[in-house]
Amino acid sequence: MEYRNEFDRNGLDISDGRRAEDNFKRFFENRFGVAPLKTEEDDDKYRHIDFYMQVPTNEGNIHTASVDVKSWKQEPNDVWIEFVSYGRLGWLYGEANYIAFETPDEKGFIIVDRQELVKLVERVCVTNFTNNLKYALFRPLIRGKGKNSDKFDLVTKIPRALLYSIKHWTLKEENKEKPWN
């Protein structure tokens, strides 16, 4: 049985996620000539790792790393960040080395170092919670059964432009730039 968060009532999150992963895999293989390795369901669900990938470094070496792919959430200027998912640590605190955010307007992905993203989010977000979606920019939003239950999500959103202020690289269908330039 395929895992689906109970807050994904219409199944769009999982189908969007699958589409984004397919695009990431295709773009990566087109660029580097080797497909990233898809993880097992438990790695995806509990460790927040979608793929293992081998990336050439600027020094000419090969770096093996893990990535969690995030689909576009219909907000052109913001990205959603997950602190807690259904009562467990969310992907921000998962085990992936990198997070790949889909950028449909750029027809690709911006890939950021997850630990640098943690520092960025913890620096720019305030600590007072909200339960109103329209106030979620820079503020933790509790959704689901409430903060007193063990089954809730805790998310926030930040401007996508902030992702370009930390270590990143882009992956597009046709680009040939080296990662980490």
Side-chain angles (χ1 to χ4, degrees), residues 101-146:
F101 292 94
E102 186 178 33
T103 56
D105 56 327
E106 298 173 10
K107 296 181 175 50
F109 295 85
I110 178 171
I111 302 163
V112 300
D113 181 289
R114 185 190 56 78
Q115 291 181 351
E116 288 193 28
L117 181 61
V118 168
K119 292 176 193 171
L120 171 71
V121 169
E122 289 178 350
R123 188 178 77 242
V124 301
C125 288
V126 297
T127 56
N128 53 330
F129 295 89
T130 184
N131 59 6
N132 188 326
L133 192 62
K134 72 179 183 177
Y135 299 119
L137 187 65
F138 297 118
R139 290 181 66 190
L141 167 73
I142 298 172
R143 68 178 189 172
K145 298 183 180 177

Side-chain angles (χ1 to χ4, degrees), residues 4-181:
R4 184 167 110 190
N5 185 314
E6 79 174 51
F7 304 127
D8 180 16
R9 298 200 193 322
N10 57 15
L12 290 177
D13 283 351
I14 199 159
S15 63
D16 285 349
R18 201 175 299 117
R19 178 197 41 74
E21 287 178 12
D22 290 345
N23 284 340
F24 179 87
K25 182 178 180 180
R26 183 169 47 88
F27 293 2
F28 190 92
E29 187 170 12
N30 286 347
R31 181 164 173 192
F32 296 109
V34 60
L37 178 64
K38 178 67 180 139
T39 59
E40 298 293 325
E41 184 177 332
D42 279 355
D43 283 340
D44 190 347
K45 183 177 175 180
Y46 298 111
R47 297 177 65 209
H48 302 288
I49 298 172
D50 290 322
F51 294 101
Y52 291 102
M53 57 184 182
Q54 293 188 328
V55 181
T57 66
N58 289 333
E59 295 80 31
N61 301 320
I62 298 294
H63 173 64
T64 300
S66 54
V67 64
D68 193 12
V69 177
K70 302 290 135 205
S71 64
W72 182 57
K73 301 295 185 205
Q74 305 298 319
E75 296 192 33
N77 300 315
D78 300 322
V79 293
W80 284 96
I81 306 292
E82 180 185 82
F83 299 107
V84 176
S85 174
Y86 204 59
R88 293 186 299 269
L89 283 180
W91 57 258
L92 182 63
Y93 300 111
E95 296 180 36
N97 300 111
Y98 302 102
I99 307 294
F101 292 94
E102 186 178 33
T103 56
D105 56 327
E106 298 173 10
K107 296 181 175 50
F109 295 85
I110 178 171
I111 302 163
V112 300
D113 181 289
R114 185 190 56 78
Q115 291 181 351
E116 288 193 28
L117 181 61
V118 168
K119 292 176 193 171
L120 171 71
V121 169
E122 289 178 350
R123 188 178 77 242
V124 301
C125 288
V126 297
T127 56
N128 53 330
F129 295 89
T130 184
N131 59 6
N132 188 326
L133 192 62
K134 72 179 183 177
Y135 299 119
L137 187 65
F138 297 118
R139 290 181 66 190
L141 167 73
I142 298 172
R143 68 178 189 172
K145 298 183 180 177
K147 63 182 176 183
N148 295 325
S149 169
D150 64 347
K151 305 293 188 227
F152 67 96
D153 285 354
L154 184 61
V155 296
T156 192
K157 64 181 175 176
I158 63 171
R160 185 174 64 180
L162 285 179
L163 299 178
Y164 294 91
S165 72
I166 61 175
K167 185 177 179 182
H168 70 278
W169 57 285
T170 58
L171 178 64
K172 299 179 184 177
E173 192 162 21
E174 299 286 331
N175 73 350
K176 298 293 181 190
E177 77 178 49
K178 290 182 180 175
W180 317 124
N181 281 345

